[in-house]
Amino acid sequence: MADERDPKVSQRYRELGSEEPSRELDQAILSAAHRAADKPHAPLVTPAGRHRWYFSLGAAAVIVLAVAVTYHMQQEAPDPDSVAIPAAPEEQRVDAAEDAPKPSTKPAPTFAPDPKPRAREPARELARKPAAPAAGPAPEARMQRDAAPAESRVERQGQIPPQQEPITPAPAGRADSSEVKGLMSDSMRYEPPERWLERIVQLRKEGKHEEADKLLAEFRRRYPDYRLSEAMLGKVERR
Amino acid sequence: MAEAPDEQLMLAYRGGDGGAFETLYARHRARLFRFVLRSIVSRASAEELYQEIWMRVIEARATYKPTARFTTWLYTIAHNRMVDHWRRARLPTVPLETDDIPAGNPGPQQHMEAREALSRFAVALESLPAPQREAFLLHEEGGLTVAEIAAATGSGEEAAKSRLRYALAKLKAAVDDG
C-alpha cells in the first residue's frame, strides 16, 4: 500500500502542521502510567473481596449442621434403660433383685410400657374392665403392640437384644385368669418375664405358695416359650 | 531500551517498567494526537479522546499480547474510542456503500477559490467521509498497511483498500487544483 502513497498528498498533509499534545496532557498520561506500573498485577483469581467470607460462612454452616444433627440423633436415640435388655442371665438378675431392698426402683427393661403417664391410662382402663375374652383388645395384645416400637427401635440401632430365646407373649385376646388378677398389679401386666419370676420368687420366700403357683401358671400361659434354667426352676417351683 | 521495538517496550511496561512506557509514548504521542485531532477536529474533544486512548492502553497492559504490531493495537484502541465518541455525539457514520461524497455535499472545489492551497487541502481532508478520512490518517500518521487498517477498523481488506483509494483520490484532486 506504500506504493499508493502520493508524495504530493503526503507533503501537503505535512504542511498542515505538526500539532502535539500539551505538556500537561503528557504529564497526566505519564503519571498515570507510572502509578499503574508501580502497582503489582492482581492475580487472575483472587480470594479477596466478597469471596473471602464465603469460606468462613461455609465452614460455620457445616459446623452448625454437624452439631444439630448430632444433637438430633441424641434426642432420637431411645433411652438405653428402657430399650436394651440387660445381658445378665436371669439368675443373676433375680439374685440382684433379692439383694436389692427396693426392686421397684430398678428401671424396667425392654418390655416396659411407655413411661408417659398418658400412654398408660388407656391400659389401666382396659385392665379394669371385666374379663371378656372376645371383647376388646387384651392387655397382652396392647403389650405386644407397645413392645413392637421398642423392638423396632432396637433393630434400627443395630442392637441385638441379649435375650437368649425369643419370648412369645400370650396371643392377643387371651385374658388373665380371675385368680391371678388379684395377684397382679396393673403395671405387672406389662412387666417382662424376669419381673414375673422375681415376683414369684418373692412370694415363695414369703410363704405364699398358692399365689406363687397361680402366678407361675399364669406366667407359663403367657410365656410358653420362655425357657427356665434349672436354678430358676428351683426357685419358682414349689419344693 | 530506546532502540527496542514497540512490542518489547510494551511487554517491559507490562512487567512494571515505567521507563519503557515513556519511550513508547514519546514515539507515538505526536502522530496519535494528530490522528485524533484531524478525525475529531475539535481540539478539546481531541485531547480528551487522546487521553482516553492512552488510559486504555495503560489499563490493558496486563492482557497485551504481541500478536500484531503495537501500532495496529494502539490504533485499534483509538478507532474504538472514536467510534464511541461518535456514538456519544450522535454523529452519523457513513456506510461503505455511501463512502463517496454525496452529490449535495459541498466539495473541496467550492472552497478553493477563497482559500490558500493548504486550506483547500485541509478542507478536503475535513470533507472526507469519516471512514475514508480515518483510513487515510491511519495510513499517513500511523503508517498502517491496508491489512492493518482493516484489522484496526474491524473491516475487510477490500473495504479498507477502497476507502483509502477514495480518500487519496479526493485529496490528490485537492492538491492538483491548488
Side-chain angles (χ1 to χ4, degrees), chain A residues 1-2 4-6 8-23 25-30 32-41, chain B residues 13-14 16 18 21-22 25 29-30 33-34 37-38 43 47 50-51 54-55 58 61-62 117-118 121-122 125 136-137 139-141 146 164-165 168 172:
Chain A
M1 197 65 216
E4 293 190 19
R5 184 174 291 183
D6 190 305
K8 286 183 183 178
V9 171
S10 292
Q11 185 183 352
R12 187 62 54 87
Y13 175 78
R14 298 292 161 204
E15 287 171 3
L16 285 176
S18 57
E19 296 94 338
E20 291 187 359
S22 63
R23 185 166 295 179
L25 194 53
D26 288 342
Q27 284 302 317
I29 292 166
L30 290 173
H34 280 289
R35 279 197 305 272
D38 292 340
K39 286 184 198 171
H41 286 303
Chain B
Y13 176 58
R14 192 180 74 178
F21 183 85
E22 285 190 17
Y25 181 78
R29 58 183 282 280
F33 183 76
R34 284 195 293 271
L37 180 64
R38 285 172 186 155
R43 184 170 181 100
E47 286 190 343
Y50 173 79
Q51 189 169 5
W54 280 110
M55 291 302 168
I58 293 167
R61 70 192 186 284
L118 193 58
F121 182 84
L125 181 63
F136 170 77
L137 291 172
H139 182 61
E140 192 67 34
E141 290 288 0
V146 170
L164 184 57
R165 278 188 177 166
L168 285 171
K172 190 170 184 301

Side-chain angles (χ1 to χ4, degrees), chain A residues 115-156:
Chain A
K116 292 177 184 173
R118 281 188 301 176
R120 193 176 291 179
E121 283 303 315
R124 279 184 183 162
E125 287 171 12
L126 285 170
R128 285 190 196 113
K129 284 182 183 176
E140 292 84 359
R142 179 167 287 273
M143 184 175 72
Q144 197 172 24
R145 208 167 54 216
D146 291 344
E151 287 169 351
S152 63
R153 280 201 298 269
V154 170
E155 284 168 10
R156 275 206 304 272

